[in-house]
Amino acid sequence: MLSLPERRFVADALRAETVGGVLLLVAAIAALLWANIPALADGYDSVRGFHLGPAALGLDLSLQHWAADGLLAVFFFVAGIELKRELVAGDLRDAKAAALPVIAALCGMAVPALVYVAVNTFGGGSTDGWAVPTATDIAFALAVLAVIGTSLPSALRAFLLTLAVVDDLFAILIIAVFFTSDINFAALGGAVAGLVLFWFLLRRDVRGWYVYVPLALVIWGLMYNSGVHATIAGVAMGLMLRCHVKDGEQHSPGEHIEHLVRPVSAGLAVPFFALFAAGVSLSDESIGQVFTRPETLGVVLGLVVGKTIGIFGGTWLAARFTRAELNDDLAWPDVFAVASLAGIGFTVSLLIGELAFAGDQTLTDEVKAAVLIGSLIAAVFASVMLKLRDRKYKALTDAEERDEDLDGIPDVYEADKPDYHLRMAKIYEAKAAEHRRRAEAAGAAPGAVAGAAGSAEGAEAATAAATGSPAGGDRPA
């Protein structure tokens, strides 16, 4: 049993994108090892195929299905709250600010789908998986950005977050519209009635987890039995939460509940889904088929090429031909780096892959392998791009924060003040005198020292006269 401070520390860590992304990566690696070590592979299939749950309620499911249909509902519940918050208090509230990331998200879903369809049309493959490369994994993408982009502008994270939230919304719509089996209207009607009751209780400010948790479980169970993918229940309930603050409130109910549920999503739901979904065979033959079979090649190209072209191209076209404008803190290379980062389509892409090829386990596993490989390629390429941009911004930040005269004011704000240049002249004169003393102590001839000093002083004077600042004061533009 953890103490209260330890429990709070763990919960706060799980709310950070980096920790959630690391747990997701660890779960995926564990699944791959478990499924590919010969002595353990049979055990992996047995564990994820183990059934439990009340059969009378239509919920006698395998652990793999509990993870995909049950635990991921928690992930989509948090995604629904994020989307609601963006709509009422974030970038999506302002149409002008939201235009670019929304257009980028739409193009970033359409182009990968077109790439997949083109590859499979000309290659003679199945077009059923067109939606697999359309999704972006927000947990992985934000984790990479947080680790690599320590000096990148905050506007870049806001752009990626807004893009990913819109991406999640349309991924949910794709699942609801295109991957819904035969509908049980009685169960669907019960789920809708439960959602209406959920909404009514929220509007009446009814409080208490003992009211909402049982109701949420009933709604989820009815949604699952209706034939509509059960994760839709999660996002629907998330969207119903109030995310604006009333008088006397420090946090809205949506923010409070997201704060409580996010550790469950990041620390349990998503890693367990990855553990039971990412375990595919990666033999030399299967890896080779990823780049030769049209279905899997379409997924890889869709994630790596389609996402980058779609997001960057859509953003550029919107900025060029509409009134939408790129944030002043961002440059086009930043957008290109984020566009390539969005090719990490792990969680939702794996889910859609399972739904698209549900009747063919071999092809399902190959498509999952393609998702893993495509996401890895996108992550490596984006990391390189982001690191280059991060160095650029770090150099600019260091130049802006440089305070060589140690007066507490960055030098860039004092370039037109005579007192600053006089202080800097004294600093350089003191440094020059110290170096002359060291040269003499090292045994250099006095005449050579004097000559070198004169040359150095002349060079500094010439530089100062030409630039209006002491030598060595140049900064990146």
Side-chain angles (χ1 to χ4, degrees), residues 434-445 449:
E434 174 65 16
H435 283 292
R436 283 195 293 271
R437 185 190 67 76
R438 291 186 180 185
E440 292 174 355
V449 173

Side-chain angles (χ1 to χ4, degrees), residues 119-361:
V119 170
N120 282 271
T121 298
F122 291 105
S126 171
T127 58
D128 292 345
W130 62 271
V132 175
T134 61
T136 294
D137 190 293
I138 186 171
F140 256 148
L142 287 175
V144 172
L145 185 63
V147 172
I148 301 296
T150 54
S151 299
L152 293 173
S154 58
L156 196 61
R157 184 188 183 280
F159 183 89
L160 176 61
L161 180 61
T162 305
L163 183 152
V165 167
V166 176
D167 188 291
D168 280 344
L169 171 63
F170 283 96
I172 291 162
L173 292 176
I174 288 173
I175 291 171
V177 174
F178 296 99
F179 297 104
T180 294
S181 56
D182 295 335
I183 296 179
N184 181 331
F185 287 99
L188 182 60
V192 172
L195 288 170
V196 171
L197 178 59
F198 189 88
W199 176 85
F200 178 78
L201 293 174
L202 288 173
R203 292 301 172 271
R204 291 291 182 179
D205 286 329
V206 175
R207 304 294 175 91
W209 65 267
Y210 47 83
V211 174
Y212 290 103
V213 171
L215 179 58
L217 292 174
V218 170
I219 293 171
W220 175 86
L222 289 169
M223 189 69 75
Y224 176 82
N225 281 285
S226 73
V228 177
H229 201 270
T231 53
I232 304 302
V235 74
M237 288 184 278
L239 286 168
M240 289 181 181
L241 292 175
R242 176 168 60 83
C243 290
H244 63 273
V245 180
K246 292 183 177 180
D247 292 339
E249 290 182 337
Q250 289 186 333
H251 304 286
S252 67
E255 290 175 308
H256 176 66
I257 293 173
E258 181 191 5
H259 185 76
L260 295 175
V261 177
R262 182 176 288 280
V264 179
S265 173
L268 178 67
V270 176
F272 263 91
F273 169 75
L275 181 64
F276 292 122
V280 295
S281 174
L282 292 179
S283 63
D284 293 341
E285 182 181 356
S286 63
I287 293 175
Q289 287 179 340
V290 166
F291 298 99
T292 57
R293 185 162 183 165
E295 292 89 350
T296 51
L297 181 60
V299 169
V300 173
L301 292 178
L303 289 172
V304 178
V305 179
K307 275 287 184 181
T308 304
I309 293 176
I311 292 173
F312 182 81
T315 306
W316 185 85
L317 289 173
R320 176 70 176 81
F321 296 106
T322 71
R323 295 183 178 180
E325 297 178 355
L326 188 66
N327 190 295
D328 292 337
D329 293 334
L330 300 181
W332 286 110
D334 302 329
V335 178
F336 185 81
V338 165
S340 61
L341 182 63
I344 303 175
F346 192 81
T347 305
V348 182
S349 289
L350 289 176
L351 175 61
I352 295 176
E354 288 185 352
L355 298 174
F357 300 105
D360 189 338
Q361 187 59 47

Side-chain angles (χ1 to χ4, degrees), residues 381-393:
F381 180 72
S383 296
V384 173
M385 294 295 300
L386 288 170
K387 194 63 180 177
L388 293 174
R389 298 303 300 164
D390 189 68
R391 288 178 179 174
K392 172 76 172 178
Y393 282 107

